[in-house]
């Protein structure tokens, strides 16, 4: 009990646990665990034969955190920044360190812009975005959607309906804007 | 090649993409035989991680066969069956030299706070991931390991993140014999953490979630005592009651940024992105651990601030330990535990889904449908 010196008794002794649970105590010694101690200096451990890695060629101006001294020798080359979202991203990297909320908020804003830009651009290609297949929502019918959601005391039921709203909102807004624009054009013609 | 491609929050599709190329002398190209979807991928899928670009291929849990190697690669050869830790790391920087592989300084230009992770946004380096037919693996001499002959791909792919992370999480709890350990979250990471706590001599292991089917797994797979927090008015009070009002010696947060249980925290973080993550489970951990106890945080949070109850962590004299898992450090010991029959990683796999249907796989895993615990992705089903 917390109010007296001794630790509360456990229901099962170590011996009982060892028989009930396969492997109980296999890593009992706190000093003999792979992540102990946290830092273990051994530069040869990893098989690196270089003091500093060779540099990967930079094929376009690679955006980087201003907390870095230089472009790291190796980096990912997925999705170079493009469009308006790319401009926001570049600005965010150039202007703000990782310590500033503005850095992350701008990057998040760029992500939202990117989704809209890319979706609009997809309509000019042979693979337009399709919210039905891309959300995988049809699995609701093939993988027990409703019964899974209704089973037991799931506390996330309170916000399940927010997901489709979040996904549908940009489409509904875009659809509305297109409708209004068309109506205006049509109205002008009639006049 | 065929690859999963992100199209915006809650949306992705499979596209024809260029096969990745060798871009550095120590690169390898791996032909993926098995990939998985991680709870961390859900943070990307829900649009929570800053600088997640449309067109990126996700996937940091994968195994495969070496298809091509760069001129300086010596430790693997084309045709080798390899498993690849989710960390991209150089092996030689200040941090790698000290075993902090997940904190490598040479692979992520976009941020200094986080290392490199395959398919995990530009904030983690801008690498395409393994939910595809092929993937570029930098520093092929450092990260990948040959899959032991006796191990199947399903177990190997779970070692590249989920199992190593759960095991690491239990280690960061500094568990000693007889400790009472509480694990928040009965997803793959939480299940493996609970199981690992016993290996370190825990005297009692308690798992908390709100999904009954996952709690059932926690009791059958991880031999844990389980409680559904949805059935209690205040789960912290319940945990105090069942620990003689002392609290747990060690608490592991295996939930992370999208924690439920407080609608305001969840909606501001997961839906509106106004904080780095919803710290509901972390705050429960602070409240339910005993004074002087240790909290191990495996749940991932975004780089922005979160509304964490820091005052009580101080008042209680807690030790908070956390990191992205340095995966390869865990492997030799985990191989032993699997060989000895103490762990069977693939026991928690519920779904095997072809790459072509990955959009459904994400939806099922994200909405927790169909009893889903761990979905594996098969790029080229026979
Ligand atoms: N540190 C690392 O290296 C590392 C590696 C892998 C995963 N992760 C992180 O670990 C977390 C878990 O991953 P996973 O694959 O198991 O994900 P998951 O989504 O399958 O599991 C999370 C579980 O937490 C439950 N949950 C939600 N709110 C809760 C609360 N308040 N209390 C208790 N349980 C709650 C959910 O119902 C779910 O079962 C994620 O945040 C992921 O990003 C970190
Ligand atoms: Zn992961
Ligand atoms: Zn390094």
């Amino acid at each position: 009990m917390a109010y007296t010196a001794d630790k509360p008794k456990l229901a099962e002794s170590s011996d009982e646990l060892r028989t009930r649970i396969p492997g109980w105590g296999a890593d009992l010694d706190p000093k003999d665990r792979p992540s102990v101690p946290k830092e273990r200096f051994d530069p040869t451990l990893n098989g690196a034969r270089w003091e500093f890695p060779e540099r990967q060629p930079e094929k376009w101006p690679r955006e980087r955190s201003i907390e870095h001294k230089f472009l790291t020798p190796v980096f990912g080359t997925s999705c170079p920044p493009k469009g308006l979202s790319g401009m926001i991203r570049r600005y965010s990297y150039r202007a703000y360190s990782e310590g500033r909320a503005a850095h992350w908020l701008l990057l998040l804003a760029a992500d939202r812009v990117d989704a809209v830009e890319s979706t609009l651009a997809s309509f000019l290609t042979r693979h337009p975005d399709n919210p039905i297949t891309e959300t995988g929502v049809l699995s609701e019918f093939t993988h027990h959607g409703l019964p899974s959601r209704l089973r037991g005391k799931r506390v996330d039921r309170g916000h399940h309906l927010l997901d489709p709203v979040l996904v549908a909102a940009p489409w509904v807004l875009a659809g509305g804007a297109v409708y209004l624009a068309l109506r205006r054009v049509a109205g002008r013609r009639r006049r | 090649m065929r690859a999963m491609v992100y199209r915006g929050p809650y949306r992705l599709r499979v596209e024809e993409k260029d096969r990745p190329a060798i871009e550095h002398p120590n690169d390898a190209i791996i032909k993926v035989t098995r990939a998985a979807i991680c709870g961390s991928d859900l943070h990307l899928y829900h649009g929570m991680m800053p600088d997640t670009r449309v067109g990126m291929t996700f996937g940091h849990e994968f195994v495969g066969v070496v298809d091509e190697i760069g001129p300086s690669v010596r430790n693997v050869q084309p045709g080798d069956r390899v498993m690849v830790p989710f960390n991209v790391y150089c092996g030689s920087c200040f941090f790698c030299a000290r075993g902090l592989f997940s904190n490598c300084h040479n692979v992520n230009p976009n941020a200094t706070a986080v290392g490199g992770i395959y398919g995990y946004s530009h904030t983690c380096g801008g690498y395409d991931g393994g939910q595809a037919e092929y993937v570029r693996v930098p520093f092929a001499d450092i990260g990948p390991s040959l899959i032991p002959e006796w191990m199947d791909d399903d177990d190997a792919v779970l070692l590249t993140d989920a199992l190593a992370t759960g095991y690491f999480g239990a280690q960061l709890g500094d568990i000693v014999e007889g400790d009472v350990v509480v694990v928040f979250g009965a997803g793959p990471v939480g299940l493996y953490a609970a199981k690992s706590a016993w290996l370190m001599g825990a005297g009692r292991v308690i798992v908390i979630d709100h999904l009954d089917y996952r709690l059932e797994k926690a009791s059958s797979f991880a031999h844990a005592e389980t409680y559904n927090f949805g059935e209690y008015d205040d789960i912290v009070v319940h945990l105090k009651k069942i620990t003689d009002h002392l609290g747990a010696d060690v608490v592991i947060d295996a939930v992370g940024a999208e924690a439920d249980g407080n609608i305001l925290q969840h909606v501001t973080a997961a839906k509106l992105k106004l904080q780095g993550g919803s710290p509901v489970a972390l705050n429960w951990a602070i409240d339910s651990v005993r004074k002087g106890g240790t909290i191990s945080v495996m749940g991932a949070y975004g780089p922005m601030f979160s509304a964490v109850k820091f005052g009580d962590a101080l008042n209680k004299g807690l030790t908070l330990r956390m990191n992205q898992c340095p995966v390869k450090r865990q492997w030799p010991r985990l191989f032993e535990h699997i060989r000895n029959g103490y762990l069977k990683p693939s026991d928690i796999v519920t779904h095997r889904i072809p790459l072509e249907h990955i959009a459904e796989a994400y939806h099922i895993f994200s909405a927790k449908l169909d009893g889903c615990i761990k979905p594996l992705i098969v790029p080229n089903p026979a």
Side-chain angles (χ1 to χ4, degrees), chain A residues 14 24 27 32-33 35 37 42 49 54 63 65 68 77-78 93 98 129 140 144 148 154 159 163, chain B residues 7 23-24 51 53 72 97 108-109 112 122 167 171 175 177 199 202 260 271 329 333 337 363 367 370:
Chain A
S14 293
W24 185 91
D27 294 314
D32 179 28
R33 293 176 188 164
S35 289
D42 185 358
R49 298 179 304 277
E54 273 181 73
E63 64 290 354
S65 164
H68 263 305
T77 50
S78 173
Y93 280 102
E98 296 159 55
D129 276 309
E140 290 283 335
H144 314 103
S148 303
R154 290 183 64 155
H159 57 74
D163 290 349
Chain B
R7 294 297 305 167
E23 301 188 51
H24 178 275
D51 211 355
R53 301 184 188 175
S72 80
N108 181 2
T112 55
H122 275 66
Y167 185 61
Q171 290 174 75
I175 296 167
E177 185 166 354
L199 301 176
D260 258 302
K271 309 297 181 205
R329 248 176 105 159
R333 187 70 61 87
H337 290 334
H363 184 82
D370 203 29

Side-chain angles (χ1 to χ4, degrees), chain B residues 39-40 43 161 188-189 209 214 255 260 298 300 323-325 368:
Chain B
S40 302
H43 312 325
D161 179 357
V189 172
D209 203 301
R214 290 186 169 206
V255 181
D260 258 302
M298 285 300 103
N323 201 351
Q324 296 285 346
C325 175
K368 310 315 193 213

Side-chain angles (χ1 to χ4, degrees), chain A residues 7-83:
Chain A
K7 234 190 140 175
K9 279 241 153 25
L10 290 166
E12 284 172 289
S13 71
S14 293
D15 287 334
E16 285 165 322
L17 288 168
R18 194 174 276 118
T19 43
R20 181 166 76 91
I21 292 157
W24 185 91
D27 294 314
L28 201 56
D29 179 1
K31 285 197 272 323
D32 179 28
R33 293 176 188 164
S35 289
V36 178
K38 175 166 140 182
E39 296 192 13
R40 210 185 289 167
F41 186 71
D42 185 358
T44 57
L45 170 81
N46 312 306
R49 298 179 304 277
W50 46 82
E51 199 185 323
F52 181 79
E54 273 181 73
R55 286 184 172 277
Q56 169 185 336
E58 182 181 3
K59 296 199 175 131
W60 63 84
R62 182 65 167 76
E63 64 290 354
R64 67 174 170 88
S65 164
I66 54 175
E67 293 178 47
H68 263 305
K69 180 173 183 179
F70 43 58
L71 180 64
T72 55
V74 165
F75 48 88
T77 50
S78 173
C79 308
K82 58 175 184 356

Side-chain angles (χ1 to χ4, degrees), chain B residues 38-40 42-43 60 86 120 161 165 184-190 208-211 214 229 254-261 280-281 284 297-300 323-325 365 368 373-374:
Chain B
C38 176
S40 302
L42 297 179
H43 312 325
H60 55 269
F86 77 79
Y120 209 71
D161 179 357
T165 299
F184 284 103
V189 172
I208 309 292
D209 203 301
H210 66 110
L211 300 172
R214 290 186 169 206
F229 70 80
V255 181
E258 301 185 52
D260 258 302
V280 179
W284 285 351
V297 186
M298 285 300 103
N323 201 351
Q324 296 285 346
C325 175
F365 183 51
K368 310 315 193 213
I373 297 177
K374 188 71 176 175

Side-chain angles (χ1 to χ4, degrees), chain A residues 2-190:
Chain A
Y3 304 92
T4 53
D6 289 329
K7 234 190 140 175
K9 279 241 153 25
L10 290 166
E12 284 172 289
S13 71
S14 293
D15 287 334
E16 285 165 322
L17 288 168
R18 194 174 276 118
T19 43
R20 181 166 76 91
I21 292 157
W24 185 91
D27 294 314
L28 201 56
D29 179 1
K31 285 197 272 323
D32 179 28
R33 293 176 188 164
S35 289
V36 178
K38 175 166 140 182
E39 296 192 13
R40 210 185 289 167
F41 186 71
D42 185 358
T44 57
L45 170 81
N46 312 306
R49 298 179 304 277
W50 46 82
E51 199 185 323
F52 181 79
E54 273 181 73
R55 286 184 172 277
Q56 169 185 336
E58 182 181 3
K59 296 199 175 131
W60 63 84
R62 182 65 167 76
E63 64 290 354
R64 67 174 170 88
S65 164
I66 54 175
E67 293 178 47
H68 263 305
K69 180 173 183 179
F70 43 58
L71 180 64
T72 55
V74 165
F75 48 88
T77 50
S78 173
C79 308
K82 58 175 184 356
L84 177 60
S85 61
M87 286 163 62
I88 302 174
R89 284 181 175 128
R90 286 217 163 93
Y91 172 72
S92 162
Y93 280 102
R94 209 172 45 233
Y96 298 106
S97 77
E98 296 159 55
R100 309 278 291 274
H103 177 67
W104 304 112
L105 290 169
L106 279 170
L107 288 176
L108 279 172
D111 291 350
R112 304 291 93 89
V113 172
D114 189 7
V116 173
E117 278 180 327
S118 303
T119 299
L120 292 178
S122 81
F123 294 132
L124 305 174
T125 70
R126 283 191 296 141
H127 300 284
D129 276 309
N130 176 338
I132 305 292
T133 56
E134 290 177 359
T135 52
V137 67
L138 293 178
S139 59
E140 290 283 335
F141 307 106
T142 56
H143 288 78
H144 314 103
L146 200 57
S148 303
R149 290 173 189 274
L150 294 180
R151 198 179 154 219
K153 283 242 159 49
R154 290 183 64 155
V155 308
D156 52 353
R157 241 175 263 146
H159 57 74
H160 279 183
L161 280 174
L162 276 180
D163 290 349
V165 171
L166 281 179
V167 178
W171 299 82
V172 171
L173 290 175
V178 169
Y179 172 76
L180 288 178
L182 287 178
R183 218 175 56 169
R184 199 175 258 182
V185 171
R188 237 178 251 149
R189 287 238 178 91
R190 242 174 274 134

Side-chain angles (χ1 to χ4, degrees), chain B residues 160-174:
Chain B
T160 63
D161 179 357
L163 175 61
T165 299
Y167 185 61
F168 178 63
Q171 290 174 75
L172 291 200
D174 289 327

Side-chain angles (χ1 to χ4, degrees), chain B residues 251-299:
Chain B
V251 177
I252 301 172
D253 165 3
V255 181
E258 301 185 52
D260 258 302
N262 175 319
I263 196 90
L264 187 70
Q265 291 269 27
H266 179 88
V267 170
T268 53
K271 309 297 181 205
L272 303 176
K273 286 82 171 158
L274 296 176
Q275 47 175 342
S278 154
V280 179
L282 184 51
N283 286 341
W284 285 351
I286 291 171
D287 288 335
S288 56
V289 71
R290 73 166 166 86
K291 285 178 251 190
T294 300
I295 296 177
S296 159
V297 186
M298 285 300 103

